[in-house]
Amino acid sequence: MRVAFTHLRALFLSVFVMVLPFACVLPAATTSTSDAPSNADGGDGANGTLAIGGTVTGLEGASVELVLNGGEKSTVNADGPFHFKGLLSPGAPYAVTVGTSPTMHACSIVNGSGTVAQADITNITVACPSTDTALTNLSLSPGVLAPTFASGTTMYTANAEVTSLVTGQPTGTLTATTRSPGATLALGVAKLISGKPTPLMLAVGMSSVNVAVTAADGKSKANYRVDVNGTRGAEEAYLKASNTIMAQAFGASVALSGDTLAVGVPGDASAASGVNGDPTGTAKPGSGAVFVFVRKGSAWTQQAYIKAQTSKAGFAFGQAVALEGDTLAVGVIHDTSNQTGSHADDSGANSASPDSGAVYVYVRTGTTWAPQAYIKASNTIDSASFGASIALSQDTLAVGAPLESCKSSGINGNQSNCGSFASGAAYVFTRSGATWTQEAYVKASNALGSQLFGGSVSLTKAGNTLAVGAAGESSNAKGINGAQADVSAMSAGAVYVFTRAGTWSQEAYVKASNTLANQRFGAAMSIVGDTLAVGAPGEASAALGIDGDQTNVSAVGAGAVYVFTRAVTVWSQQAYVKASNTLTNQGFGGSLALLGDNLAVGALGESSGATGIGGNQGDTSLMRAGAVYLFLRGGTAWSQTAYVKSSNTQADQDFGAALALSSDTLVVGAVKESSSAKGINGDQKKTDAPGAGATYVFR
């Protein structure tokens, strides 16, 4: 019986042990790590044990420590599912709490406690949104913050260009970058994207930029403030030759295409030839050169130094330049070869026709420039100055020869009957592949000696409209298509408009609305689409601004610009434009550039000692310092928007001798500037190289 009892007790104990797992058993205090969302293995429902877990959000790479029932700890390193390693039985209570929260995060738990039922607990939600409101970057472009940006500093000041000098439209950008990916940004009511430049909509003058940062938790907030002194445009670059010498005339001509700028330097004296030769030395005075600069962002660098392949002293290579895309045309008014037509290079050039002139064409492949053509007139004659003016549009090239002396008139007349000194001519060439061919020989419809027809030329973008200036023309006609025969107003000037529809024909004969002798109407001009702007630097009215009194002729040589528009084929005058500080001998209109509704006008004789943009126009202390005036058209009305001077204004600087415009950039040549600085943004204070010249870029 004793043995039987012992076996019976063993059986009882066995049954007792089998029942125990169904009782409530709490896990011992342990530490586990939940490294990945995919590790939620779940409980063992068959054995009556269930897993406790859920989802974590908002960590942004941080870690959170979770605690189950005050015991087991689980460290979660990434957003997504989590679970504890310990298992609970149905009916067991559970409570999940946050042990250690990540720095700058506020964690909260939903469904974090309850009683285990018959399935794994998977609906616990742990949200740990960031409370971080810090920025890792705050910047204005253009503009520099003061003090230098630091994430803990929320107050700054800055000087910034907030509107384009050329268009008056917003041009600056603001960039703010949050440290927390979940934080949001706002500029007033506008939402910003972290790290993305946003247009800066500020007025000229003092204003504040307030960037509001809201942390990912939606509650924590911070404000960064920048007090901005907004300006309209600014000087972006001060360009000089890399081999600056006296009388170099750097900036005698300028041409701009996108972020590429060509600067003509007819007084360059190096003995180099071709592309990127040695710029040092002065063995060939007046041989001339062209410097090509390119811009990346707001930084300019020199890309090429270009000379004629057969460079000679006195050639004045670069007296005129035209640039479109990867094609550069260079005028050489003192070229001496008696060749005619287009050639691959100047290897056959000679010295048989002094000052006949030529045009060199270069093309760029990648960053490398190479010669494409050497072009002469079809009737090369001595002293014609072929290349004194050039215009380039796609595969069409127009070349002016204002001292050409043949007696024909109109299109493709007799090129050999010469003897009408300086009647002038223009030539049109077209390109097929790499070959240039003369398409038209163009003369005034009233060709006479000393007209200087071809002293300025301009082509529309499609190349199908050509305007030719003749500053020496002497008719006293006024307006459009007047009588050409009267020659009682010497050097009043005229502009002729031609169109191409298969062949070229004259469309209009354009004169000033207040024609007088010595106006030199057409000395500078530009045609863009259906708008033509014509400078008359000898005009004598004392009027100011737009559409003033043209009859007051008390300011000899003050100058004026006339704007004309075309409706189908009919031209009419739209505006009569004067300087805002008209004075005698200002020469307003001696240079100009037109782009859409934007007009820049140079006045080489302007004498204010002001510097920069918007200075004092009333000062007259620096004779022939020069100035540039910007105008903007709204509808059909023009208004002056800026008065521009160099940053180192000097007497006899001739600031405004050459102008170029793009959609957001103004380039100004100051052909007699006297600094001996070299390259980009050198020392402007040196004045020991008279006539070296400089070029200024504004944006």
Side-chain angles (χ1 to χ4, degrees), residues 135-163:
L135 297 180
T136 59
N137 173 61
L138 179 64
S139 60
L140 300 176
S141 178
V144 179
L145 299 187
T148 302
F149 172 78
S151 59
T153 303
T154 59
M155 298 289 289
Y156 300 90
T157 61
N159 294 316
E161 177 188 337
V162 295
T163 58

Side-chain angles (χ1 to χ4, degrees), residues 204-227:
V204 173
M206 292 300 300
S207 56
S208 294
V209 176
N210 292 285
V211 178
V213 185
T214 302
D217 68 348
K219 300 177 181 178
S220 304
K221 298 179 184 294
N223 188 71
Y224 288 77
R225 174 175 162 178
V226 185
D227 292 325

Side-chain angles (χ1 to χ4, degrees), residues 157 224 578 630 663:
T157 61
Y224 288 77
K578 297 282 287 185
L630 289 178
S663 59

Side-chain angles (χ1 to χ4, degrees), residues 13 27 38 68 77 84 109 122 177 184 223 232 348 369 372 376 409 420 433 465 474 479 512 591 607 626 653 668 691:
L13 289 174
S38 61
L68 175 61
N77 297 316
F84 290 92
I109 299 179
T122 60
T177 306
T184 58
N223 188 71
R232 176 172 179 172
W369 291 89
Q372 183 181 71
K376 298 283 291 185
S409 60
S420 181
T465 300
S474 298
S591 62
S607 57
Q653 200 174 42
V668 182

Side-chain angles (χ1 to χ4, degrees), residues 15-25 45-49 89-92 118:
V15 172
F16 179 79
V17 171
M18 292 176 63
V19 172
L20 269 177
F22 293 91
C24 179
V25 179
N47 293 321
T49 56
S89 301
Q118 300 299 318

Side-chain angles (χ1 to χ4, degrees), residues 397-441:
L397 171 68
V399 181
L403 300 184
E404 193 263 4
S405 59
C406 290
K407 295 180 180 179
S408 62
S409 60
I411 310 298
N412 294 330
N414 184 351
Q415 302 182 30
S416 61
N417 182 10
C418 298
S420 181
F421 177 72
S423 57
Y427 303 76
V428 180
F429 300 84
T430 57
R431 175 171 55 185
S432 178
T435 301
W436 290 89
T437 305
Q438 185 170 313
E439 181 178 73
Y441 167 66

